[in-house]
Amino acid sequence: MKILVLHRVPYFKIEYHRGISHDLHEVTYFGTEGALATLPPDLRCERVSRPGTRPAFEEARDWLAERPRAFDRVISMSEYELLDAARLREHLGVPGAPVDQVALARDKVLMKRAVEEAGLRVPRFLPLPRFLEREGQVPWEGRTVLKPHRGASSEDVLVFDTPRQAVTAVTEGRTGVARLDSGADRADQEDFQVEEFVSGPIRHYDGLVQHGEVLVLTASEYLGTCLRYAQGRPMGSFQIGFSEETRAWVARALAAVRIEDGTFHLEAIVHEGELVFLEVGNRVGGADVVATFELATGVHLPSYELRVLLGEPVAGALPEPPADGRRYGWFVHPGHHLAGREYRGLAGAAAFRAGPRVVAWTELPPGAPLPDHITYQAGETVLAGIVAGDTPEETRGWMVDLFGSVSVDTHPAAAPLTPATPEQVPA
């Protein structure tokens, strides 16, 4: 087949060669120079550079208008370009999920409406313009969440004590979100939603689906949250068991948002013993979800997703899971909240670094620049790794101890006039 890949995610995160035979198929990678630079130099493929100043769909459409050619598949493995791939498939008449189907798994308002209509519980919510029109008169009280429809990594997510506080912050331009505070028009407001805050453990469910059938599934529980990580706190997750009832719940949620083929990353809150749907993506999870999933199941999610997207039946080709049944967890410690300071290293990490439960440990070397954006990527944030335990409790307990012991040493980036003592910032 002739395959066009809208290439954005660094190659090592996907390892396309594990899911696509580049000797059998003609593969074209379409991406920015930076993205193309992550491709292995000896990979048999065509590389097409795009400026990256406009959406991938628009730049691909214009490229193909100048150099017409046909493709059998158009694929994106990036959450941010799934809709671009769908638009390009429709433009070219290529098989694959259409725009309206992909939009259900990208827009948080659309997906919650669909899941609610399927009979599953979701947080009560409103699009921001409607919330403002009602002046915060909503069917819930207490903590209220403001978030983008299509955001990621909890960027621009805010929690207010009451709906009224949320209204005041938005109308007075005091949210701290630039596009809302700088005289936001309705178009900007329509990119946001407001929902009730639901308390309880947050879990994520990851797996592979083909023709609507869930082929493999893991369940994990977060330690910390994406929002607190954005604010400078460490986080991770550890694998837990799940029931057939939970598997059926996941399948119903996926069917509601029409995720029929590929990988999924679904998040839910356990509130008073009931699963409450938060959001889902037709993609693999971030951080080290892919690695911990493969360690637990033997399945490398991106590889099998690519096979599914090429139309290959994979149900009978999945590997058997390891017999030891160990529970894996991933952990990350942020550094973006300290950007601009001189990084001196981690304190309190020595007792954990070479421990017997550690599967992977990637630590930023002292003196390296701290990230200036939210990232879970090993080698970019100050610490990332994988840990294993015989039970979920063991895995969780190890991470709790790590987070309570490790702190980040920094120093002002500009040399002071008088010597200063390095500052230790709690983890």
Side-chain angles (χ1 to χ4, degrees):
M1 286 193 289
K2 299 180 187 296
I3 302 168
L4 176 61
V5 177
L6 302 186
H7 180 48
R8 176 166 175 156
V9 181
Y11 189 92
F12 73 89
K13 297 286 288 185
I14 305 298
E15 298 184 285
Y16 288 93
H17 63 279
R18 297 179 63 179
I20 301 175
S21 170
H22 287 64
D23 293 325
L24 177 63
H25 303 294
E26 296 181 25
V27 186
T28 300
Y29 290 89
F30 184 78
T32 63
E33 286 292 341
L36 296 177
T38 70
L39 297 174
D42 58 348
L43 187 70
R44 180 183 176 274
C45 66
E46 180 183 11
R47 298 162 169 82
V48 178
S49 177
R50 72 181 185 92
T53 56
R54 293 182 294 145
F57 163 68
E58 295 180 9
E59 294 187 351
R61 179 196 59 197
D62 293 351
W63 163 60
L64 290 172
E66 294 179 4
R67 298 174 177 81
R69 55 198 297 185
F71 290 99
D72 301 298
R73 292 290 188 276
V74 176
I75 292 172
S76 172
M77 301 293 279
S78 167
E79 178 176 23
Y80 298 101
E81 294 183 354
L82 292 176
L83 279 169
D84 290 280
R87 292 186 180 105
L88 193 57
R89 284 193 293 268
E90 291 191 352
H91 177 69
L92 299 175
V94 172
V99 171
D100 62 344
Q101 181 175 342
V102 173
L104 272 176
R106 284 291 293 128
D107 188 295
K108 294 180 174 62
V109 166
L110 294 178
M111 73 173 66
K112 282 204 285 288
R113 283 175 179 160
V115 171
E116 187 175 37
E117 290 171 359
L120 302 181
R121 183 179 170 187
V122 304
R124 289 171 289 186
F125 67 96
L126 285 172
L128 179 57
R130 188 177 173 197
F131 175 78
L132 295 175
E133 289 169 2
R134 297 175 62 166
E135 298 182 341
Q137 298 299 312
V138 292
W140 72 84
E141 298 178 354
R143 302 180 76 186
T144 299
V145 183
L146 172 70
K147 63 170 67 171
H149 286 188
R150 298 176 181 174
S153 303
S154 286
E155 290 189 271
D156 294 339
V157 174
L158 301 171
V159 179
F160 299 91
D161 289 336
T162 65
R164 187 65 223 170
Q165 285 186 5
V167 171
T168 301
V170 175
T171 56
E172 295 183 0
R174 294 189 290 102
T175 66
V177 178
R179 54 185 170 144
L180 286 180
D181 292 347
S182 58
D185 56 26
R186 188 176 179 91
D188 290 318
Q189 292 176 357
E190 287 176 349
D191 288 338
F192 285 79
Q193 62 159 322
V194 179
E195 68 183 30
E196 67 173 326
F197 182 92
V198 179
S199 61
I202 304 176
R203 294 180 178 170
H204 62 88
Y205 301 92
D206 301 273
L208 182 73
V209 60
Q210 186 170 34
H211 305 314
E213 179 187 359
V214 178
L215 303 180
V216 60
L217 173 70
T218 64
S220 302
E221 187 167 300
Y222 283 110
L223 183 61
T225 67
C226 295
L227 178 57
R228 293 187 70 193
Y229 184 83
Q231 296 167 346
R233 307 290 289 182
M235 72 172 295
S237 80
F238 55 97
Q239 293 167 346
I240 60 175
F242 60 90
S243 64
E244 284 303 311
E245 182 181 10
T246 296
R247 176 187 281 270
W249 184 93
V250 169
R252 286 179 64 191
L254 295 177
V257 298
R258 299 176 61 194
I259 293 180
E260 299 168 355
D261 292 293
T263 59
F264 60 87
H265 178 73
L266 187 158
E267 296 186 347
I269 289 180
V270 184
H271 180 72
E272 298 179 351
E274 180 184 10
L275 282 174
V276 180
F277 175 90
L278 286 181
E279 59 185 67
V280 64
N282 195 179
R283 57 167 177 81
V284 297
D288 275 317
V289 167
V290 169
T292 52
F293 191 98
E294 185 173 11
L295 287 166
T297 67
V299 174
H300 182 248
L301 282 174
S303 300
Y304 284 93
E305 175 167 36
L306 288 167
R307 297 177 192 184
V308 167
L309 296 179
L310 295 186
E312 301 175 13
V314 302
L318 296 173
E320 291 293 325
D324 59 18
R326 302 182 82 191
R327 304 290 190 179
Y328 295 88
W330 54 265
F331 55 90
V332 283
H333 197 300
H336 60 269
H337 59 301
L338 301 171
R341 298 182 64 84
E342 181 184 340
Y343 173 62
R344 294 292 185 89
L346 295 176
F352 299 90
R353 194 179 284 120
R357 298 193 186 282
V358 174
V359 177
W361 180 284
T362 303
E363 186 177 333
L364 204 62
L370 291 165
D372 60 1
H373 60 284
I374 298 173
T375 176
Y376 301 92
Q377 180 59 53
E380 293 182 0
T381 193
V382 297
L383 175 64
I386 298 172
V387 61
D390 293 328
T391 66
E393 293 75 20
E394 285 184 1
T395 309
R396 181 186 188 281
W398 188 94
M399 288 197 289
V400 168
D401 292 342
L402 174 74
F403 293 169
S405 301
V406 171
S407 60
V408 182
D409 286 334
T410 64
H411 191 281
L417 296 178
T418 58
T421 302
E423 177 185 351
Q424 190 173 82
V425 179

